[in-house]
Amino acid sequence: MRIVLMGAPGSGKGTQAKKMVATFGIPQISTGDLLRAAVAAETELGKKAKSAMDAGQLVPDDLVLGLIRDRLQEPDAQKGFILDGFPRNVAQAEALDQMLSDIESPLDRAIQIDVPFEELKQRLTGRVSCGDCGAVFNTHTFPPQKEGVCDLCGGELIHRADDNEETVVNRLKVYEEQTQPLIEYYDDHGLLKHINGTRDIELIFDEIRQLLS
């Protein structure tokens, strides 16, 4: 199964991706992780990407596609993959489709996890995480038993600086502007499936599992 997984910040996309990896045994391919690994390994593509980033520029799409193409040749991706964070616009989606066609691995499905704007805002502005073990809580929807203290390890809970309301609203608007045409693109190609992301994590995953089985 070859999947593009989409969802706004705070939609639970990362949580569902981890469950998909564990259940289906296919890798989650994050372009951010690929870039960091290529730069650290000083591969040819990594050096080109680093030059762009050092100059304060976006990494060109052809470089990102090259990294994805190389990653898809690895043994663990032969049964399928979950693309996370790419494509971000229609031009990237078209280039991705062409590359996947070239390697005879076309997409099976694009999954969009839908959560209303106001709920996303609440999830993001209330998010706190443990500086020690990484556990995540939410002061609105999933508060820790003791304010500021992690339930799991007793570490200090930290509120990210970029999770303030103004920044969150801006991030969500940018996401919406970029992603709406992409949703229409995959819908037009008969690949899109919407998933209601406001429910219990396990119910959401049950629907995804049924969709992919």
Side-chain angles (χ1 to χ4, degrees):
M1 59 191 73
R2 298 177 291 270
I3 302 156
V4 165
L5 185 61
M6 301 187 294
S11 65
K13 177 166 63 77
T15 299
Q16 295 300 329
K18 286 182 176 64
K19 294 179 77 65
M20 291 164 70
V21 168
T23 301
F24 299 116
I26 58 175
Q28 175 187 6
I29 298 175
S30 161
T31 49
D33 291 344
L34 288 181
L35 282 168
R36 284 187 287 273
V39 169
E42 297 185 343
T43 65
E44 185 177 344
L45 287 175
K47 289 175 183 176
K48 291 178 180 177
K50 187 175 187 301
S51 294
M53 290 187 287
D54 286 349
Q57 300 168 347
L58 290 174
V59 177
D61 289 350
D62 61 332
L63 280 185
V64 177
L65 284 164
L67 290 171
I68 293 172
R69 183 176 187 139
D70 288 350
R71 179 67 180 85
L72 296 184
Q73 310 302 314
E74 295 182 23
D76 67 336
Q78 299 315 298
K79 290 195 300 179
F81 53 82
I82 304 159
L83 270 180
D84 177 11
F86 191 93
R88 292 182 181 273
N89 56 51
V90 171
Q92 291 178 348
E94 291 172 341
L96 174 66
D97 280 349
Q98 182 60 56
M99 184 271 285
L100 293 176
S101 174
D102 291 345
I103 63 172
E104 300 182 350
S105 297
L107 289 174
D108 295 314
R109 185 69 69 185
I111 298 175
Q112 167 70 23
I113 300 178
D114 294 318
V115 178
F117 186 93
E118 285 302 316
E119 183 169 337
L120 289 169
K121 189 171 75 171
Q122 186 181 62
R123 289 184 185 186
L124 291 170
T125 56
R127 186 166 58 182
V128 288
S129 58
C130 178
D132 294 334
C133 75
V136 179
F137 300 87
N138 191 291
T139 55
H140 302 302
T141 58
F142 180 50
Q145 294 176 6
K146 184 178 180 182
E147 185 177 351
V149 179
C150 176
D151 290 356
L152 302 184
C153 74
E156 180 185 1
L157 296 178
I158 301 164
H159 188 271
R160 279 175 35 176
D162 62 348
D163 280 343
N164 64 77
E165 185 164 345
E166 182 181 355
T167 304
V168 163
V169 168
N170 185 59
R171 282 164 63 197
L172 292 175
K173 284 182 176 177
V174 168
Y175 173 83
E176 193 172 52
E177 289 167 3
Q178 288 182 337
T179 309
Q180 191 57 43
L182 198 55
I183 290 171
E184 293 170 2
Y185 175 85
Y186 283 124
D187 197 20
D188 289 345
H189 284 70
L191 294 173
L192 186 71
K193 176 65 177 178
H194 287 274
I195 300 287
N196 176 357
T198 64
R199 300 165 297 164
D200 177 81
I201 289 170
E202 294 300 330
L203 287 176
I204 295 169
F205 185 64
D206 281 346
E207 184 174 348
I208 291 174
R209 184 164 48 196
Q210 290 170 21
L211 174 67
L212 299 176
S213 61

